[in-house]
Amino acid sequence: MSLSIRNRIPGTVTAITDGAVMATVRARLAGGQEITAAITLEAVRELGLAEGSRIDALAKSTEIALATATAPVAGLSIRNQLPGTVTEVATGGAMATVKVAIEGGELTAAITKDAVDDLGLRAGTPVVALIKATEISLAAA
């Protein structure tokens, strides 16, 4: 299956916490980072997820925010904080794509050109990629 989602990082489920309708799924990514995804219980069942399941964590580039602070960024409800280094910035009139090398992979963030300028982002800039748990999708690998 081909997807328009550019950010796809392999990992392994480490824990699943069920709620009434939703579940949180914790996974260890290929680079050793821990992430949390909030998905429906129906999706957990349909994907056959359990501890040890191999997954791909997916996130749209428009759902990734960048910070120039060091991880963990304090005072945020966003739990998924992946430190990395900017490898490429491509800007247009209003928007930009920023590629970030993280342990075990690469992420692409789509942010405003103003944000790139305000943060001084360029190749070599250390950043933290921030992704809400509700914005991470999982695919069974």
Side-chain angles (χ1 to χ4, degrees), residues 65-71 73 76 81-84 119 121 125-130:
L66 299 176
T68 54
T70 57
V73 179
L76 292 177
Q81 300 189 19
L82 305 172
L119 295 172
L121 299 180
T125 304
V127 294
V128 179
L130 306 163

Side-chain angles (χ1 to χ4, degrees), residues 12-40:
T12 304
V13 173
T14 58
I16 299 173
T17 304
D18 294 346
V21 176
M22 300 288 290
T24 56
V25 179
R26 291 195 50 81
R28 178 167 290 109
L29 299 179
Q33 313 92 323
E34 294 283 330
I35 58 106
T36 300
I39 63 173
T40 65

Side-chain angles (χ1 to χ4, degrees), residues 114-141:
D114 289 343
V116 168
D117 294 340
D118 290 348
L119 295 172
L121 299 180
R122 62 186 54 82
T125 304
V127 294
V128 179
L130 306 163
I131 315 165
K132 291 176 62 172
T134 53
E135 301 304 333
I136 293 181
S137 297
L138 298 177

Side-chain angles (χ1 to χ4, degrees), residues 81-108:
Q81 300 189 19
L82 305 172
T85 304
V86 172
T87 58
E88 182 181 332
V89 178
T91 58
M95 296 296 293
T97 57
V98 180
K99 293 191 180 201
V100 177
I102 62 168
E103 288 293 325
E106 181 180 72
L107 295 173
T108 299

Side-chain angles (χ1 to χ4, degrees), residues 2-9 57-61 64 99 106-109:
S2 295
L3 297 172
S4 63
I5 296 176
R6 295 286 153 241
N7 300 303
R8 186 177 195 136
I9 301 171
L58 301 104
K60 290 175 59 177
S61 60
I64 297 177
K99 293 191 180 201
E106 181 180 72
L107 295 173
T108 299

